[in-house]
Amino acid sequence: MRGELEQAPADRPLLIMMNHSSWWDGLLVYHMIRSESQRHHYMMMDERQMKRYAFFRRIGAFSVNKENVRETAASLHYAADLMRSGGAVWLFPQGDIFHLESRPLQFQTGIGYLLERCRDAVVLPVSLYYTMGLHQKASASFSIGRMIEADWSALGRKEATLLLERRLEQQLGEHRLAVIASADGERDGFRHLLATGRSVNETFDRMKGRTAKWKSFFGR
C-alpha cells in the first residue's frame, strides 16, 4: 500500500470510497485496516451477497437492499449515523463488481445522497489494483489519495457524485501506471502489508538449487 488512512480529523465523519473489481476487495480492506487505522470501520455490502457470506458481518459489513428504494435510504441513513459516531464507512460507489479496466467509472448516486445527509464528512479515495506477474498468485496494491473536502450541501447530489467519480478514476489510472512501470514488482512509495509464501516458480528454483548442490557434493 501507499498513502495513509489516518488523514481525517477524529471529529469529522469519514467516508472511504473505493473501486470494486473482485470478491476479495472487502477481505483485503479488512487486513489493511487491522494494522493501519485506529477507527472502527464499516462496509456497505449488497444484501444478496451478505446472505450468502454472512461472516462478513463479523468484520464490519452491513447490508443494503438496492432493489428497494426505502430500504436503500434506510441503509444510507444508518451509514451516516455510523460516520457521525466516529466510524469510517467504506462504500463501493459503482454499486457492483466491474472489470478492473472498465472505464469510465460510473457511480450510482447513493454516495451523493449520503453526503447530503452528512454534510461535514471528509471523503478519502482508495484505489485497489490487481496484477499478475512472475508469481503464482496475483499481486494486490492499495493507493490512498488525499482526503476530499467540499461544501456537499451546496454542491448537490449529482455534482458531488460526478466530482468523486472523476477523482477516483484519475487516481486509479495513476495507480495502474505505477504498477505497469514497476518491472521487478517493487513499486516506489509502496510498503508491504502481507507476507506471502513461495510461489510455484520460487519453489521450483529452490529445488533446482538444492539438486545442483547435491550433484556437486557427490561429484555428479
Side-chain angles (χ1 to χ4, degrees):
M1 67 171 289
R2 67 177 177 184
E4 301 295 335
L5 273 177
E6 297 291 336
Q7 295 183 35
D11 61 345
R12 295 285 297 278
L14 176 59
L15 175 63
I16 305 176
M17 63 173 181
M18 195 177 86
N19 61 297
H20 197 17
S21 61
S22 170
W23 184 88
W24 293 99
D25 294 350
L27 293 176
L28 291 177
V29 167
Y30 170 71
H31 282 292
M32 177 170 62
I33 63 179
R34 285 199 307 169
S35 61
E36 299 296 321
S37 179
Q38 300 300 315
R39 287 191 189 230
H40 291 291
H41 289 255
Y42 306 90
M43 181 173 289
M44 186 176 288
M45 183 174 179
D46 181 71
E47 186 175 67
R48 291 172 300 175
Q49 295 295 316
M50 182 74 80
K51 288 179 178 178
R52 293 179 63 187
Y53 310 109
F55 65 87
F56 275 105
R57 292 187 186 275
R58 298 188 178 186
I59 57 176
F62 63 96
S63 65
V64 56
N65 181 2
K66 295 180 294 184
E67 298 177 359
N68 185 299
V69 174
R70 181 174 297 178
E71 291 186 21
T72 297
S75 293
L76 291 169
H77 280 286
Y78 177 67
D81 289 341
L82 290 172
M83 290 162 60
R84 294 190 193 99
S85 67
V89 170
W90 290 73
L91 188 66
F92 299 124
Q94 292 168 278
D96 208 340
I97 294 177
F98 288 88
H99 191 281
L100 182 59
E101 301 299 342
S102 178
R103 300 290 186 278
L105 297 186
Q106 294 183 324
F107 287 4
Q108 297 185 358
T109 57
I111 191 168
Y113 182 93
L114 179 56
L115 290 170
E116 279 184 341
R117 279 144 188 80
C118 202
R119 299 176 181 179
D120 57 339
V122 171
V123 179
L124 191 64
V126 175
S127 54
L128 175 56
Y129 198 88
Y130 297 89
T131 186
M132 295 297 296
L134 296 174
H135 303 286
Q136 175 187 3
K137 297 179 181 179
S139 170
S141 57
F142 287 103
S143 182
I144 303 168
R146 295 182 179 178
M147 64 181 187
I148 305 167
E149 299 180 87
D151 186 346
W152 305 115
S153 58
L155 200 57
R157 185 185 310 179
K158 291 184 178 180
E159 287 300 318
T161 301
L162 289 173
L163 168 67
L164 297 174
E165 186 178 272
R166 289 193 294 266
R167 287 287 293 272
L168 188 59
E169 183 173 319
Q170 179 183 0
Q171 180 174 314
L172 185 58
E174 294 169 352
H175 189 171
R176 175 179 179 271
L177 292 177
V179 171
I180 293 174
S182 57
D184 59 357
E186 293 295 330
R187 303 180 184 100
D188 291 338
F190 287 83
R191 58 189 184 276
H192 289 287
L193 278 174
L194 291 175
T196 59
R198 293 190 186 94
S199 60
V200 170
N201 66 301
E202 291 170 329
T203 301
F204 182 72
D205 290 341
R206 187 179 178 89
M207 290 174 62
K208 285 182 63 178
R210 287 180 175 178
T211 301
K213 287 182 179 179
W214 279 109
K215 286 182 177 180
S216 176
F217 179 78
F218 287 108
R220 295 181 181 178

